[in-house]
């Protein structure tokens, strides 16, 4: 089992849901955390909890991940403070509104493209040379089980996550030569502020975080390509 104590982990979308649960789990493992999200208030609360839970060090910055320069600046400043990233978890994502393909707002589609596909790409590009220089690393991209089923009115979200899946699969092949492991995570319904309706019959964010966390602990002789996990109520498979 790998020890994450003192390892630098960059995590997007750390202020809520799955990301917040992951931040706390990694703090308990005494990792050094670089956390981001948009909300300064929520970020301050997570930083406080992670400090209490045992994080070795914390760097936090609030910004919109659709701003490429802000992402690059975050990676630059976080790694200058905490050291080279051992792990990058691209978790920030959103589905701002369901709509049929025929009436999808194109401005919303552009936003989802920037957040769900381009931002993790920019994060990965910024971390890649640092991981190469350090002799390896692990990139985890949070996708969705929507990619495994044709969900009417979810085309924009599905398409932008599917575009992220496409480059994730190619990057896994390219990066293995540099000792960088790439894992795609496909959560099914998870009870988080991702949707306005509470869903106690869905997975808890802590459960999804635990699955990701256990993957990070595996020895380096295996790469977990994919994790697919669903609540029992989900029938989209
Ligand atoms: N919940 C589900 O059922 C489900 C299922 C499959 C996949 N997923 C995926 O799991 C990931 C985490 O979702 P969640 O359920 O934990 O949702 P959540 O509770 O809504 O958390 C989303 C996180 O992403 C951040 N974020 C959203 N837009 C952002 C932006 N423009 N710039 C920077 N950060 C932004 C949010 O930060 P702020 O709150 O500070 O803005 C928040 O920390 C997402 O990629 C989502 O697509 C979720």
């Amino acid at each position: 089992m790998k020890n994450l104590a003192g390892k630098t982990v960059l995590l997007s979308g750390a202020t809520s849901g799955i990301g917040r649960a992951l931040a706390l789990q990694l703090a308990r493992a005494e990792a050094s955390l670089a956390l981001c999200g948009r909300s300064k208030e929520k970020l301050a609360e997570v930083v406080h909890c992670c400090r209490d839970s045992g994080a070795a060090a914390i760097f936090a910055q609030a910004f919109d991940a659709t701003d490429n320069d802000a992402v690059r600046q975050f990676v630059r400043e976080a790694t200058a403070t905490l050291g080279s990233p051992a792990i990058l978890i691209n978790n920030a994502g959103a589905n701002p509104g369901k709509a049929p393909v025929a009436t999808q707002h194109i401005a919303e589609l552009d936003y989802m493209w920037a957040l769900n596909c381009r931002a993790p790409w920019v994060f990965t590009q910024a971390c890649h040379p640092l991981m190469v220089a350090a002799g390896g690393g692990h990139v985890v991209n949070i996708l969705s089980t929507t990619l495994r089923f044709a969900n009417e009115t979810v085309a924009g979200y599905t398409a932008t996550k599917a575009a992220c899946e496409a480059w994730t699969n190619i990057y896994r092949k390219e990066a293995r030569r540099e000792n960088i492991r790439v894992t795609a995570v496909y959560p099914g319904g998870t009870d988080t502020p991702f949707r306005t309706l509470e869903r106690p019959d869905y997975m808890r964010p802590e459960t999804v975080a635990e699955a990701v966390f256990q993957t990070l602990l595996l020895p380096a002789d295996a790469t977990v390509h994919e994790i697919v996990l669903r609540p029992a109520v989900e029938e989209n498979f």
Side-chain angles (χ1 to χ4, degrees), residues 15-215:
T15 52
S16 173
I18 296 167
R20 185 182 181 281
L22 256 168
L24 289 171
Q25 180 74 287
L26 290 160
R28 287 192 287 275
E30 298 174 14
S32 290
L33 298 175
L35 307 175
C36 57
R38 276 174 312 184
S39 159
K40 274 191 182 144
E41 295 71 29
K42 288 197 275 175
L43 194 58
E45 187 271 339
V46 176
V47 166
H48 180 75
C49 293
C50 286
R51 243 183 224 126
D52 280 355
S53 300
I58 303 176
F59 178 91
Q61 223 167 56
F63 59 92
D64 194 312
T66 64
D67 178 342
N68 297 336
D69 289 338
V71 171
R72 293 185 189 111
Q73 182 181 333
F74 170 76
V75 173
R76 211 167 38 242
E77 292 179 5
T79 56
T81 307
L82 302 178
S84 192
I87 296 164
L88 165 67
I89 305 173
N90 284 308
N91 166 71
N95 181 14
K98 291 184 171 187
V101 170
T103 55
Q104 170 74 55
H105 286 298
I106 297 307
E108 259 179 8
L109 179 61
D110 286 344
Y111 173 72
M112 286 190 278
W113 149 255
L115 179 63
N116 295 334
C117 178
R118 194 187 67 202
W121 198 326
V122 177
F123 268 106
T124 302
Q125 268 195 351
C127 288
H128 180 82
L130 302 170
M131 288 182 173
V132 171
H138 196 157
V139 176
V140 178
N141 286 347
I142 307 295
L143 302 173
S144 170
T145 53
T146 55
L147 305 186
R148 306 284 174 105
F149 192 80
N151 288 297
E152 288 171 70
T153 75
V154 193
Y157 177 73
T158 307
T160 54
K161 285 280 186 184
C164 187
E165 176 187 51
W167 72 255
T168 301
N169 288 336
I170 292 169
Y171 181 58
R172 182 182 300 116
K173 253 190 177 174
E174 293 169 350
R176 81 205 137 113
R177 296 184 196 93
E178 312 285 359
N179 205 22
I180 297 171
R181 299 190 284 174
V182 180
T183 301
V185 183
Y186 300 79
T190 310
D191 190 18
T192 71
F194 180 78
R195 59 181 67 72
T196 42
L197 213 63
E198 282 190 21
R199 291 298 304 255
D201 52 341
Y202 277 3
M203 295 182 289
R204 292 182 312 118
E206 290 78 12
T207 306
V208 179
E210 179 70 24
V212 175
F213 181 73
Q214 291 301 330
T215 303

Side-chain angles (χ1 to χ4, degrees), residues 3-7 29-32 56:
N3 187 352
L4 298 182
K7 295 260 167 65
E30 298 174 14
S32 290

